[in-house]
Amino acid sequence: MPPTSPNTSLDPTDWRALRQQGHRMLDDMFDYMENIRQRPVWQPIAPEQRQAFREPLPRSAIPLEQAHARYMTEVLPFASANSHPRFVGWVQGGGSPVGMLAEMLAAGLNANLGGRDQMPLEVERQIVHWMRDLFQFPDTASGLFVTGSSTANLMGVLVARTRALGADSRFKGVNPPGAAPLVAYAASTAHSCITKAMDINGLGTQALRMVPVNDQDQMDIESLAQLIAADKAAGLQPFLVVGTAGTVNTGAMDDLVSIAAIARQESLWFHVDGALGALGMLSPTIAPLLKGIELADSLALDFHKWGQVPYDAGFFLVRDELDQLNTFASPTAYLARHERGLGAGSPWPCDLGFDLSRSFRALKTWFTLMCYGTDQLGAVMAHTCALAQTMKQRLQAYPDLELMAPVALNIVCFRFRCDNADAVNAEIVADLQESGIAVPSVTTVHGHTVIRAAFVNHRTVEADIDLLLEATQAMGQARCQRHCGNKG
Ligand SMILES: *Cc1c(COP(=O)(O)O)cnc(C)c1O
């Protein structure tokens, strides 16, 4: 029966028409994925396109077809296109058709995963158990989905801080008079979000010791031990060491076994930033490089990178749930939960992290793991490492190009040889991006500006490497001629 009073429902009056429009929208996204290789990777946003999104708040409606058309013409072509096989600029995943469909199902359900006794939470707990087993954590382990590893690393620092200062620091604050100031350690190659986490945690970035690295870009273990000894002698309290499983710059893997040994000996919390590399556990060829990750007290990882789950899908795992509850739970709330009804099932995710309202990130992750299987996902990761080795080999055929860092995993840092190489290589990268041929990025390795190619996407193949190398060579020669009049 159509309602006679003013209809405030957001559902359509004509479901048939909506279904047809929905099919067209879905088809457009299947087309996008199926034909993505034919598109430019990226194209600069024209000023009028940008201007189109400076409109006043819409008081009245436009038809769905019209909003869809605007999305297809004004938004989609100007995305950063990390789903494209020649997007190699940053460590970003490619997504997948299965992940997209699962995300649609989750949005339709509109579940809020903060808590309550609901089956979507069992899907999330399924993944917690899978991660616990994958990383050989004990049965006491707990975890939850978060936006990304920036948040998971922040939470790792917070749990470590609460462990060091005691749960009453949540009441008293982090700088009790007379207490020794806390200090933490991470390799100089650690992700910038670790520094940010120290800042947000109120400990200050100066309390993070940047440990020098060895010639393989791994944390230098000797230096770590020396820094800890010096800090203790100065009356400070070392409380945390962060190891990185795959650095964002060069893909270096810290020696997690040795770091764990020092952490145990010095009673430090051992957190691993596995944003890039942790899921390499799914590949028999990569897993041995991660040895020692099973000794971590807490772990950050991203399903949206190597795991190819659509954004966002970060994950935080803790060895002992008690530490996570002590840090995040509000005891008055969680101890007062019900035995029956929707209020049962404590502890809830809201007791294990910051967020109360949470989306159903677990669903797209569950679909991805189930529908591709972890053998294939592991093979994708191994394939990206093989691509990096192939690129390293093929670089040798280009006398103008040189390798700038060891290739430990899936990242290749290289550059065009030239006078004024730092400036020229930065321009080559912008030229490549604007050409639409490929998107590498610029980074700094041992003081040199270099071109970085990070292979993460499951769609990338060897032919993409040749296109990237050819284009780099051509643009390098053109740039260099303009800059210095010779190739140096
Ligand atoms: C990507 C990355 C991060 C940050 O993770 P987000 O998911 O982008 O928040 C942290 N550490 C490393 C090593 C990374 O590669």
Side-chain angles (χ1 to χ4, degrees), residues 12 48 52 55 66 70 81 85 108 126 161 203-204 221 224 256 281 310 322 349 378 380 390 401 414 445 448 461 480:
E48 56 277 18
E55 294 178 309
Q66 204 177 316
R70 287 196 58 186
Q126 168 74 87
R161 186 192 87 182
L203 301 169
I221 302 298
L224 171 65
L256 303 177
M281 285 298 272
L322 215 51
V380 166
T390 301
L401 303 179
F414 66 109
V445 172
H448 299 293
V461 296
C480 222

Side-chain angles (χ1 to χ4, degrees), residues 148-150 153 191 193 244 246 248 273 275-276 302 304-305:
S149 284
S150 303
N153 285 321
H191 194 271
C193 71
T244 301
V248 75
D273 176 3
L276 189 171
D302 278 333
H304 55 220
K305 290 177 175 168

Side-chain angles (χ1 to χ4, degrees), residues 283-438:
S283 157
T285 58
I286 302 169
L289 303 175
L290 292 158
K291 200 163 161 26
I293 202 167
E294 71 284 356
L295 303 169
D297 293 307
S298 56
L299 171 65
L301 66 95
D302 278 333
F303 288 104
H304 55 220
K305 290 177 175 168
W306 248 355
Q308 315 292 333
V309 172
Y311 282 86
D312 50 33
F315 194 82
F316 180 53
L317 190 68
V318 182
R319 175 167 292 274
D320 188 340
E321 183 178 55
L322 215 51
D323 285 308
Q324 205 174 352
L325 287 169
N326 277 340
T327 307
F328 296 108
S330 154
T332 46
Y334 110 87
L335 296 175
R337 296 269 162 67
H338 303 273
E339 295 285 310
R340 326 175 22 225
L342 257 178
S346 211
W348 293 347
C350 65
D351 303 318
L352 298 170
F354 324 125
D355 296 315
L356 179 56
S357 297
R358 305 170 65 245
S359 71
F360 196 178
R361 298 184 182 100
L363 192 68
K364 58 193 173 185
T365 307
W366 184 83
F367 265 82
T368 301
L369 294 171
M370 293 295 286
C371 298
Y372 295 111
T374 58
D375 284 353
Q376 193 185 346
L377 293 170
V380 166
M381 298 171 208
H383 170 68
T384 62
C385 295
L387 286 172
Q389 292 301 331
T390 301
M391 180 157 177
K392 179 183 161 178
Q393 295 302 321
R394 295 197 181 164
L395 261 172
Q396 292 169 2
Y398 293 82
D400 289 339
L401 303 179
E402 62 180 323
L403 187 69
M404 294 298 287
V407 180
L409 216 57
N410 59 337
I411 298 177
V412 181
C413 291
F414 66 109
R415 71 173 181 181
F416 191 85
R417 291 180 209 265
C418 187
D419 291 343
N420 204 359
D422 285 356
V424 170
N425 278 278
E427 296 204 55
I428 293 172
V429 167
D431 289 343
L432 284 164
Q433 293 173 352
E434 287 174 4
S435 75
I437 296 171

Side-chain angles (χ1 to χ4, degrees), residues 185 227-238 266:
Y185 306 84
L227 284 166
I228 293 172
D231 284 332
K232 284 187 358 190
L236 305 175
Q237 187 191 340
E266 300 286 347

Side-chain angles (χ1 to χ4, degrees), residues 117-135:
D117 199 17
Q118 53 169 328
M119 206 57 201
L121 282 180
E122 295 303 327
V123 179
E124 181 156 352
R125 288 181 186 125
Q126 168 74 87
I127 297 187
V128 173
H129 291 162
W130 283 342
M131 291 304 107
R132 189 182 72 190
D133 294 346
L134 181 65
F135 295 102

Side-chain angles (χ1 to χ4, degrees), residues 33-258:
M33 286 196 192
E34 189 178 351
N35 303 315
I36 193 163
R37 185 171 277 287
Q38 275 73 57
R39 308 182 69 93
V41 186
W42 176 74
Q43 42 184 330
I45 306 167
E48 56 277 18
Q49 243 104 30
R50 229 184 267 281
Q51 203 50 41
F53 281 80
R54 301 281 193 275
E55 294 178 309
L57 197 64
R59 303 291 299 240
S60 52
I62 62 166
L64 178 58
E65 300 85 87
Q66 204 177 316
H68 172 215
R70 287 196 58 186
Y71 171 74
M72 292 307 296
T73 56
E74 297 172 16
V75 180
L76 179 143
F78 305 98
S80 81
N82 44 292
S83 301
H84 195 289
R86 284 189 302 283
F87 179 98
V88 293
W90 294 270
V91 177
Q92 296 189 14
S96 80
V98 165
M100 173 181 78
L101 293 170
E103 189 75 314
M104 182 185 71
L105 299 182
L109 188 62
N110 189 31
N112 179 346
L113 275 80
R116 312 204 185 279
D117 199 17
Q118 53 169 328
M119 206 57 201
L121 282 180
E122 295 303 327
V123 179
E124 181 156 352
R125 288 181 186 125
Q126 168 74 87
I127 297 187
V128 173
H129 291 162
W130 283 342
M131 291 304 107
R132 189 182 72 190
D133 294 346
L134 181 65
F135 295 102
Q136 298 161 44
F137 273 37
D139 290 349
T140 53
S142 58
L144 83 170
F145 275 90
V146 293
T147 46
S149 284
S150 303
T151 297
N153 285 321
L154 170 61
M155 292 168 79
V157 176
L158 198 46
V159 174
R161 186 192 87 182
T162 308
R163 178 66 176 264
L165 296 177
D168 70 345
S169 64
R170 294 174 61 187
F171 172 67
K172 292 181 179 161
V174 293
N175 284 317
L182 299 181
V183 277
Y185 306 84
S188 58
T189 48
H191 194 271
S192 57
C193 71
I194 307 294
T195 310
K196 206 174 190 176
M198 293 294 287
D199 167 5
I200 299 172
N201 266 285
L203 301 169
T205 58
Q206 66 174 4
L208 181 65
R209 303 281 181 260
M210 305 310 287
V211 184
V213 293
N214 63 21
D215 60 0
Q216 298 298 304
D217 272 346
Q218 301 168 302
M219 183 189 288
D220 184 66
I221 302 298
E222 194 88 334
S223 302
L224 171 65
Q226 284 165 3
L227 284 166
I228 293 172
D231 284 332
K232 284 187 358 190
L236 305 175
Q237 187 191 340
F239 80 109
L240 162 71
V241 58
V242 179
T244 301
T247 62
V248 75
N249 247 8
T250 65
M253 200 63 92
D254 277 341
D255 174 357
L256 303 177
V257 173
S258 300

